[in-house]
Amino acid sequence: MAKAYSGRDYALAQLIFLVLLRVSIGWHLLYEGVVKIINPDWSAFGYLMDSKGLFAGLFQSMATHQGILQVVDFMNMWGLFLIGLGLMAGLFTRFSVICGIILLSFYFLSHPPLAGIQYIIPQEGSYLLVNKTLIEILALFVLLVFPTGQAAGIDRFLRKNKN
Amino acid sequence: MERNINGNKDLTQPKNMNRRDVIKGLATLPFIGAFAGAWVRKNSVEKQLKNKMLEVVNLTSEPVDLAPAVLGSKPLRLGIVGYGIRGRQLLRATGHAEPKWIDDSKAAAVENPLNTSYDDFMNQEGLDVVISGVCDIFDIYAGDAAHAGSNVSKEGTGGKMDAAPRRYRTYKEMMASPDIDAVIIATPDHWHATMAIEAARNGKHVYLEKPMTWTVPETYELVKAVRENKIVFQLGHQGRQTESYIKAKEVVHKNILGKITLVEVCTNRNDPNGAWVYPIHPEAGHQNIDWQQFLGPAPYHDFSLERFFRWRCWWDYSTGLNGDLLTHEYDCINQIMGIGIPDSVVASGGIYFFKDGRTVPDVQNVVMEFPGRDLTFLYSASLASDRQRGKVIMGHDAHMELSDRLIINADPQSTAYKEKIQNGTIDPQIPIYTFTPGKEGVDGAVSATEQYFASRGLLYTYRQGKRVDTTFLHMREWVNCIRAGIQPSCNIDRGFEEAITAHMATIALREGRKVYWDREKQEIVVS
């Protein structure tokens, strides 16, 4: 992203809203992580079992293998926590954004809002093909192509140190 | 500050580390502080709420513990009479299954990893018992029972088998045998008491499937035989081991529900199997069924495979919905509330769906009165609708829904919780207490998602890995009690209450009259 870093320039308003977008997504993922970490009974089991669509079998088989489920649980809890923290602080921002996209894509693929599909977990809105997870993924793509970690974030110091 | 070609300040280009850079580098950290602050506040609000709820419902949070196993000096020698659907389950509870069952359950686990019956069985604690004798009047079942009894090492087909238990041709021979210490009776209802009395008189301990008896007179006789011969008697209501029922008892004892005036329990099934239309064994016939012995105390009838395999459909052998299903519901409430025998019972019903020649109703309602406790007990059953209505204990201050889980909601008009409802501590729409077995600890607030999963059987107890079958626990309690010389939870006194209550309901139903219990004389009186 060296090119974007050196060549991109933002107006103040552009920077403010890009950073706010980054911080908000970070806040959301961080809290999702924290909630799972502090709940000793939390497991992705139910969510995975409720998978539908093309990859449902894959996600369900993750749930039913104890060892894999434990890894999935761990990756979810700490993945969300660290990605959230990274986005908020602007630390390893680009890496955090990419990890966020990957993690959220798993959620989207396991619960695609296809016509005629009902989930056990109640959904709080009405969705057809596009849902908030997809929008959050796309927002992260925006943050990938409009990076802000070095403009407002700890990454600024890292760049500095490299120099 | 540099400006780029658009004339904007270049906000992304740090040149040298200065104060401005530091501010920009740390610009978003206050958000993390705000996050931490918000989270701490949220936690403290939730903790306060939880503490307030604990003032309302404060139950022991420890899971119900298994009593330690009592070890005998030598294995207990068991005999089993009746190796049908239930007999197989009971023998598995003692750790004995046919090799074919092992094969099938192993295959089922491969096909569906959620099916854990194979692992559960293999990991089941051993009871230090041997199957010394089997008795079934259908040759194929008798052979199956012997096969299961000799499968000590829990092997599949072709595995190592121990010596086969002796097959007894009649239950009397088994009860008289010096090679048997205790018997499991899982025959049709019309044989229950006759066999249990015979066993008791021969000094054998008895695990008897429910209902305890088929007729009223034999109920008294069985009680006498059990007491006089000092045997350890367990009636087969495995619900006694259900963790949520044990919690529910504490809830009632602590008066969390207020004055309880109505209990509603139900049966809802909607398939032939649930309506006792069981499959007929393809190889069964005159040649391998001892029909005379099957009939026993029942009225004469020509040989009938239908009656042999689907005996629950006829009063000639069955106790209908009252003996088969009401008893489970009744014993659950008797366990929780200690209601004993009702003062009066009315009942009505009919054969409304399964018009297949059966004589017992498939839809039925029973109302029992306990005026001494200001309580009505309502039982409503249908074998032709799967709409689950659950068990509900209704008190003035709260009501409790019971299944393998337990949910308590405050009543909006409660007197005891009036203040707490007004100041918002209690919301009658949200449970004040929920209990889910296997979950560590207990709390007031359970997320909607958890509720959804639990109500659909996707319980996270799965994660704890080890599920324990209540039938196994019930059998284990009986074996432990035999070794310790004490009576188990569903002993002859609870059995007497169960049997008399079920008989009152059946008499009320069949005679279309109100039936009373004379406490002084300990007799059923028909109006």
Side-chain angles (χ1 to χ4, degrees):
Chain A
M1 223 62 203
K3 196 177 164 199
Y5 171 71
S6 53
R8 183 72 58 196
D9 54 300
Y10 302 129
L12 183 63
Q14 290 170 328
L15 182 67
I16 286 174
F17 286 108
L18 282 171
V19 170
L20 281 179
L21 180 64
R22 195 190 82 205
V23 168
S24 312
I25 295 175
W27 181 300
H28 174 218
L29 300 187
L30 178 62
Y31 188 61
E32 285 283 8
V34 164
V35 161
K36 292 169 177 61
I37 289 165
I38 61 167
N39 177 0
D41 293 316
W42 182 82
S43 167
F45 176 73
Y47 186 82
L48 290 170
M49 287 308 293
D50 196 23
S51 297
K52 300 274 160 65
L54 200 57
F55 303 100
L58 177 73
F59 289 111
Q60 282 163 8
S61 70
M62 285 180 181
T64 50
H65 289 93
Q66 271 306 310
I68 297 176
L69 181 64
Q70 276 170 11
V71 174
V72 169
D73 285 350
F74 184 85
M75 298 283 277
N76 260 294
M77 291 191 269
W78 293 101
L80 284 164
F81 182 85
L82 292 174
I83 294 166
L85 213 55
L87 290 176
M88 285 191 82
L91 177 63
F92 308 126
T93 318
R94 182 176 153 74
F95 181 67
S96 300
V97 165
I98 293 170
C99 290
I101 289 170
I102 294 169
L103 192 59
L104 289 173
S105 298
F106 279 124
Y107 299 157
F108 184 75
L109 291 176
S110 76
H111 282 60
L114 304 174
I117 282 187
Q118 293 270 329
Y119 292 99
I120 295 175
I121 300 176
Q123 305 220 323
E124 92 288 15
S126 309
Y127 305 109
L128 181 63
L129 301 179
V130 173
N131 63 11
K132 289 178 190 167
T133 309
L134 182 65
I135 293 168
E136 204 164 19
I137 292 168
L138 294 173
L140 284 174
F141 271 111
V142 169
L143 293 175
L144 188 66
V145 294
F146 291 96
T148 55
Q150 292 181 10
I154 312 248
D155 284 345
R156 190 178 186 95
F157 303 133
L158 300 181
R159 174 77 189 182
K160 202 80 186 178
N161 291 342
K162 267 187 208 167
N163 290 346
Chain B
M1 178 59 66
E2 287 183 21
R3 285 178 186 273
N4 60 33
I5 42 175
N6 293 334
N8 292 328
K9 283 180 191 168
D10 189 339
L11 298 165
T12 62
Q13 285 269 24
K15 282 287 175 202
N16 297 305
M17 184 66 105
N18 54 30
R19 224 187 72 196
R20 196 175 283 265
D21 281 332
V22 173
I23 291 171
K24 283 176 180 168
L26 304 177
T28 56
L29 292 193
F31 287 108
I32 296 176
F35 177 92
W39 182 51
V40 167
R41 255 200 308 285
K42 184 172 193 285
N43 267 358
S44 104
V45 168
E46 279 175 0
K47 201 170 176 185
Q48 270 178 20
L49 200 67
K50 201 167 165 179
N51 286 340
K52 281 185 185 169
M53 294 309 253
L54 281 176
E55 287 170 21
V56 180
V57 185
N58 193 4
L59 301 182
T60 49
S61 57
E62 287 81 39
V64 178
D65 255 343
L66 271 184
V70 180
L71 296 174
S73 52
K74 52 184 181 182
L76 190 70
R77 299 168 306 167
L78 296 180
I80 181 165
V81 199
Y83 194 68
I85 296 168
R86 192 62 185 151
R88 283 169 160 73
Q89 294 164 353
L90 292 171
L91 216 52
R92 283 201 292 274
T94 70
H96 298 85
E98 291 155 64
K100 191 179 176 309
W101 184 88
I102 303 270
D103 295 343
D104 292 350
S105 64
K106 212 172 178 174
V110 172
E111 194 149 303
N112 175 13
L114 287 183
N115 186 338
T116 59
S117 53
Y118 175 72
D119 278 343
D120 292 346
F121 178 71
M122 297 308 278
N123 296 328
Q124 189 175 286
E125 179 194 326
L127 296 180
D128 195 20
V129 296
V130 286
I131 306 303
S132 296
V134 299
C135 180
D136 197 292
I137 53 168
F138 176 30
D139 292 342
I140 292 176
Y141 282 3
D144 290 347
H147 215 186
S150 60
N151 190 10
V152 174
S153 20
K154 300 184 175 181
E155 303 253 9
T157 307
K160 174 182 160 281
M161 290 285 143
D162 282 43
R166 180 174 161 197
R167 179 187 174 186
Y168 294 90
R169 294 282 162 177
T170 69
Y171 75 93
K172 281 197 170 178
E173 286 171 58
M174 177 188 272
M175 302 310 176
S177 167
D179 304 327
I180 306 275
D181 303 317
V183 292
I184 297 165
I185 301 171
T187 59
D189 297 356
H190 67 298
W191 270 113
H192 281 185
T194 308
M195 288 182 181
I197 290 166
E198 184 75 15
R201 286 182 182 156
N202 281 284
K204 312 291 188 220
H205 305 294
V206 174
Y207 183 106
L208 178 60
E209 254 316 309
K210 54 85 213 177
M212 193 170 89
T213 61
W214 181 58
T215 69
V216 177
E218 66 188 16
T219 310
Y220 297 93
E221 241 182 283
L222 175 57
V223 172
K224 195 166 157 240
V226 167
R227 289 206 180 121
E228 281 181 359
N229 295 285
K230 298 187 171 56
I231 61 150
V232 176
F233 178 89
Q234 176 87 300
L235 183 60
H237 287 297
Q238 68 277 7
R240 290 266 163 187
Q241 314 297 333
T242 305
E243 220 179 333
S244 59
Y245 297 178
I246 297 164
K247 286 275 171 213
K249 188 175 180 172
E250 196 185 340
V251 169
V252 170
H253 183 71
K254 288 191 171 159
N255 199 30
I256 288 160
L257 306 182
K259 181 167 177 163
I260 299 162
T261 50
L262 181 60
V263 171
E264 186 183 24
V265 292
C266 305
T267 294
N268 280 92
R269 294 176 168 185
N270 195 14
D271 64 314
N273 200 60
W276 313 311
V277 186
Y278 301 132
I280 291 171
H281 197 288
E283 290 161 48
H286 279 289
Q287 73 286 359
N288 50 22
I289 290 174
D290 182 346
W291 181 249
Q292 281 314 311
Q293 221 188 140
F294 169 79
L295 288 178
Y300 177 79
H301 195 280
D302 288 339
F303 180 79
S304 158
L305 284 175
E306 215 185 348
R307 283 179 171 242
F308 183 75
F309 286 101
R310 300 170 182 168
W311 54 267
R312 278 190 169 94
C313 300
W314 288 274
W315 290 119
D316 286 354
Y317 329 101
S318 170
T319 48
L321 278 163
N322 297 318
D324 198 47
L325 296 165
L326 161 66
T327 53
H328 272 318
E329 304 294 324
Y330 165 81
D331 187 69
C332 162
I333 301 301
N334 198 24
Q335 173 188 352
I336 293 165
M337 299 177 63
I339 51 178
I341 298 168
D343 283 51
S344 70
V345 179
V346 291
S348 68
I351 302 161
Y352 298 142
F353 191 84
F354 288 93
K355 296 178 188 289
D356 51 7
R358 67 180 60 203
T359 54
V360 304
D362 52 12
V363 175
Q364 193 207 272
N365 293 283
V366 177
V367 184
M368 306 178 191
E369 300 300 338
F370 299 82
R373 301 184 55 133
D374 295 334
L375 176 73
T376 293
F377 176 108
L378 179 66
Y379 172 67
S380 177
S382 171
L383 298 182
S385 167
D386 204 13
R387 158 100 169 97
Q388 296 302 315
R389 293 171 291 172
K391 290 183 243 303
V392 191
I393 298 179
M394 285 166 257
H396 169 68
D397 293 314
H399 64 262
M400 173 163 63
E401 278 180 73
L402 270 160
S403 57
D404 56 342
R405 295 186 306 146
L406 203 155
I407 301 168
I408 305 172
N409 278 72
D411 192 286
Q413 309 303 327
S414 156
T415 312
Y417 305 137
K418 190 175 178 186
E419 209 177 294
K420 285 195 162 66
I421 291 172
Q422 273 170 359
N423 71 23
T425 309
I426 291 178
D427 178 350
Q429 303 292 322
I430 297 169
I432 53 173
Y433 177 84
T434 59
F435 166 77
T436 310
K439 190 179 172 187
E440 281 174 35
V442 280
D443 53 23
V446 166
S447 76
T449 313
E450 282 181 5
Q451 300 265 16
Y452 265 83
F453 283 131
S455 66
R456 283 162 175 79
L458 282 170
L459 286 170
Y460 36 95
T461 39
Y462 180 79
R463 206 178 165 214
Q464 260 80 24
K466 201 171 173 185
R467 275 184 294 194
V468 193
D469 174 32
T470 50
T471 299
F472 163 72
L473 292 176
H474 208 47
M475 185 67 74
R476 183 186 188 274
E477 187 197 16
W478 176 60
V479 170
N480 266 352
C481 286
I482 291 171
R483 294 199 168 118
I486 52 174
Q487 291 296 331
S489 57
C490 207
N491 56 39
I492 192 69
D493 295 325
R494 302 291 82 78
F496 180 71
E497 291 163 352
E498 178 254 44
I500 293 293
T501 304
H503 289 311
M504 286 171 76
T506 298
I507 295 167
L509 174 83
R510 298 188 74 181
E511 297 193 12
R513 288 196 281 186
K514 191 167 184 177
V515 176
Y516 297 88
W517 177 241
D518 185 330
R519 281 189 201 284
E520 298 265 302
K521 293 185 185 158
Q522 293 276 293
E523 267 176 21
I524 295 175
V525 182
V526 181
S527 64

